[in-house]
Amino acid sequence: MKRTELTEMQQRVLLFLLEKDGSAFRDISEKTGSNPNAIKKAIDELMELGLVYDKREDTFPRRRLIFLTEYGKEVAKRLKEIVDIVNESSKHPQKPSVEV
């Protein structure tokens, strides 16, 4: 059965690419402070989901660049909206309502 939810690492990659689409694999790993093996796995899974694709540069050193698909851009934008809402709400914690 295919996974239907995104892992934290996949989310990190999507959010990073939303800001810096067409980034090299190494840059994604370094800038997110994530293990290269975990990033590779996340990218491979995102490719299977149709959210990202890769392309080799034409010039040396022919780095592997990772891009969001149109579908991936939409998912990443919505993910960013959710993250922004959560971050905003953490600044204004709501007291739970208690019924007496």
Side-chain angles (χ1 to χ4, degrees):
M1 187 162 130
K2 201 175 220 183
R3 240 184 122 89
T4 57
E5 68 275 354
L6 297 173
T7 66
E8 180 183 345
M9 192 63 63
Q10 291 168 336
Q11 292 176 39
R12 282 187 198 179
V13 171
L14 289 174
L15 291 172
F16 180 81
L17 290 174
L18 186 60
E19 300 298 320
K20 298 190 187 280
D21 201 20
S23 290
F25 172 83
R26 174 176 271 170
D27 291 338
I28 298 169
S29 177
E30 289 175 0
K31 301 272 172 37
T32 61
S34 304
N35 178 303
N37 291 331
I39 292 293
K40 181 184 181 324
K41 181 180 179 204
I43 289 171
D44 290 344
E45 292 166 344
L46 290 169
M47 289 177 79
E48 286 180 24
L49 293 170
L51 297 170
V52 301
Y53 66 96
D54 66 345
K55 182 179 178 185
R56 293 275 180 187
E57 286 183 315
D58 293 332
T59 58
F60 187 78
R62 295 186 47 83
R63 297 175 304 165
R64 178 183 177 197
L65 303 179
I66 311 300
F67 295 87
L68 291 169
T69 63
E70 288 305 313
Y71 176 52
K73 288 176 186 176
E74 184 64 31
V75 170
K77 286 176 188 174
R78 290 182 184 206
L79 178 61
K80 183 171 181 349
E81 288 173 9
I82 293 168
V83 169
D84 290 345
I85 290 168
V86 170
N87 287 340
E88 184 61 31
S89 69
S90 67
K91 294 177 186 175
H92 309 286
Q94 300 289 322
K95 291 183 180 179
S97 60
V98 178
E99 302 221 4
V100 182

